């Protein structure tokens, strides 16, 4: 059984899954896309629906023989410097198009898929989709309009901000952030996501196929990812929220995900985000949930 891990051995989670799959008897290889096209080969014949992946070791895999792919890290492609910037752009576009074709044409079970990864990058759409399937979300504004940003912030006692695309931790909005000159400069560079601050408890739910594992995260930080001392307490979600968790995973095209919730003092669950490639080893060690076992079963079956 051939299984690929998108990423490389430098990533602790990729290495953890690699070792566990190997111990379970699978043939496992890393798919480090940063090695393409110099050390990694891809061939594709659309008329025959035939493709091959040539690994840095020289081993050649028919894409029909790849059972599953675990999406851990996607690093794009690596194109060296060209004297001619136009030629470099052509090389980059050709390489990315070939890689995207492979990732979508390969019939393996992707955990998770290119489509899910693309959807995750559009976080405003993620929130909109969650709302459409009946999940509560925070009041949210994505904007580069200073007037609308100020009006939104004045509507709520507390508001937070974070990048539209992600990649940075959540912060509280202060009066200094809303100083007109600073705000105008900031929003002329990029839009921002602003949300009402939801007081309450952080909950993280891991969804793997049809299983849901959840824990309360006790932390004083506005973004618990900054808190190395956060306490994890296993909980059983209300049945309605378990069903919502499964519905979110399905709507977002995710076979596995970590969903972050905020539970208000009145018990209402508010959806914050669903991650298509979450870290989990620390969570598993603290809670005892069989996340690795479930992931390996998903990839091997």
């Amino acid at each position: 059984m051939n299984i690929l891990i998108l990423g490389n051995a430098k990533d602790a989670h990729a290495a953890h899954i690699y070792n566990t799959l190997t111990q379970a008897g699978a043939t496992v290889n890393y798919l480090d896309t940063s090695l393409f096209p110099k050390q990694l080969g891809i061939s594709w014949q659309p008329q025959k629906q035939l493709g091959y992946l040539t690994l840095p070791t020289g081993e050649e895999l028919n894409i029909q023989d790849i059972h599953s792919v675990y999406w851990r890290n996607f690093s794009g492609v690596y194109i060296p410097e060209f004297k001619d910037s136009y030629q470099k752009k052509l090389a980059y576009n050709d390489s990315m198009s070939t890689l995207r074709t492979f990732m979508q044409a390969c019939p393996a079970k992707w955990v998770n898929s290119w489509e899910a990864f693309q959807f995750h990058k559009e976080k405003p759409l993620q929130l909109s989709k969650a709302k459409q399937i009946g999940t509560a979300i925070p009041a949210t504004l994505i904007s580069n309009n200073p007037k609308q940003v100020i009006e939104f912030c004045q509507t709520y006692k507390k508001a937070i901000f974070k990048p539209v695309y992600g990649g940075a931790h959540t912060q509280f909005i202060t009066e200094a952030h809303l100083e007109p000159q600073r705000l105008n400069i900031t929003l002329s560079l990029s839009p921002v996501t602003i949300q009402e601050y939801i007081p309450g408890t952080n909950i993280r739910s891991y969804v793997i196929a049809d299983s849901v594992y959840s824990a309360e995260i006790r932390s004083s930080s506005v973004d618990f990812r900054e808190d190395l001392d956060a306490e994890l307490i296993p909980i059983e979600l209300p049945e309605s929220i378990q069903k919502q968790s499964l519905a979110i995973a399905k709507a977002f095209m995710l076979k596995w995900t970590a969903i972050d919730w905020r539970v208000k003092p009145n018990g209402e669950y508010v959806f914050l985000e669903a991650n298509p490639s979450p870290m989990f080893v620390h969570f598993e060690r603290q809670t005892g949930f069989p996340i690795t076992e479930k992931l390996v079963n998903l990839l091997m079956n």
Side-chain angles (χ1 to χ4, degrees):
M1 180 183 295
N2 289 306
I3 298 178
L4 298 178
I5 295 178
L6 191 64
N8 58 53
K10 295 179 182 178
D11 182 281
H13 285 73
H16 174 72
I17 291 296
Y18 180 100
N19 292 333
T20 308
L21 285 168
T22 301
Q23 291 168 10
T27 300
V28 191
N29 288 286
Y30 290 109
L31 176 59
D32 185 351
T33 63
S34 68
L35 301 179
F36 183 70
K38 189 172 183 179
Q39 300 178 59
L40 190 68
I42 296 174
S43 301
W44 171 246
Q45 298 182 56
Q47 80 280 15
K48 296 181 178 179
Q49 296 292 294
L50 182 65
Y52 291 93
L53 179 69
T54 305
L55 300 172
T57 59
E59 181 182 358
E60 196 171 80
L61 292 178
N62 186 321
I63 66 170
Q64 301 292 336
D65 295 332
I66 300 170
H67 179 75
S68 59
V69 184
Y70 173 59
W71 187 301
R72 176 55 199 148
N73 277 319
F74 177 62
S75 52
V77 299
Y78 174 71
I79 306 298
E81 288 302 319
F82 279 60
K83 290 183 179 179
D84 185 338
S85 61
Y86 178 69
Q87 291 298 320
K88 179 176 181 178
K89 182 178 179 181
L90 285 178
Y92 175 83
N93 287 339
D94 286 348
S95 297
M96 278 299 298
S97 181
T98 302
L99 181 59
R100 289 195 301 266
T101 296
F102 163 75
M103 296 174 82
Q104 295 174 84
C106 178
K109 178 194 293 183
W110 287 76
V111 182
N112 287 295
S113 67
W114 173 263
E115 290 81 5
F117 173 69
Q118 290 299 308
F119 182 73
H120 170 73
K121 292 197 298 183
E122 317 304 345
K123 292 183 184 293
L125 278 179
Q126 190 182 85
L127 285 170
S128 180
K129 176 63 75 173
K131 179 66 175 177
Q132 288 171 14
I133 63 174
T135 305
I137 64 171
T140 304
L141 172 69
I142 297 96
S143 179
N144 68 331
N145 184 310
K147 179 175 178 290
Q148 292 185 15
V149 166
I150 291 172
E151 288 177 353
F152 183 91
C153 292
Q154 289 174 341
T155 304
Y156 301 96
K157 291 182 179 180
K158 284 186 178 181
I160 54 94
F161 73 95
K162 54 189 176 182
V164 178
Y165 182 81
H169 291 162
T170 300
Q171 299 180 54
F172 280 113
I173 291 178
T174 66
E175 290 185 7
H177 291 120
L178 299 178
E179 190 277 320
Q181 184 176 3
R182 177 179 178 179
L183 186 62
N184 286 336
I185 292 173
T186 299
L187 296 180
S188 69
L189 298 174
S190 71
V192 66
T193 295
I194 301 174
Q195 292 181 323
E196 64 171 319
Y197 172 69
I198 308 291
T201 304
N202 294 310
I203 302 292
R204 170 159 282 197
S205 299
Y206 284 88
V207 180
I208 313 168
D210 57 357
S211 298
V212 182
Y213 301 103
S214 302
E216 176 184 337
I217 302 174
R218 292 187 179 174
S219 171
S220 58
S221 298
V222 63
D223 191 322
F224 64 78
R225 293 172 299 177
E226 297 177 319
D227 187 358
L228 298 177
D229 298 319
E231 185 180 1
L232 301 175
I233 303 170
I235 66 166
E236 184 75 19
L237 289 180
E239 184 178 352
S240 61
I241 304 303
Q242 290 204 45
K243 290 181 179 178
Q244 279 193 12
S245 298
L246 295 169
I248 287 168
K250 182 178 180 180
F252 292 12
M253 300 169 282
L254 297 167
K255 291 182 172 66
W256 121 271
T257 183
I259 299 173
D260 291 328
W261 305 91
R262 178 78 79 152
V263 184
K264 292 182 177 181
N266 66 3
E268 181 186 13
Y269 277 69
V270 180
F271 169 82
L272 301 179
E273 183 179 8
N275 191 323
S277 181
M279 294 187 288
F280 64 90
V281 172
H282 175 71
F283 186 96
E284 180 176 55
R285 288 172 179 165
Q286 293 295 312
T287 62
F289 289 138
I291 295 174
T292 297
E293 178 186 340
K294 289 286 186 177
L295 264 178
V296 167
N297 287 340
L298 181 61
L299 289 163
M300 293 188 69
N301 296 324

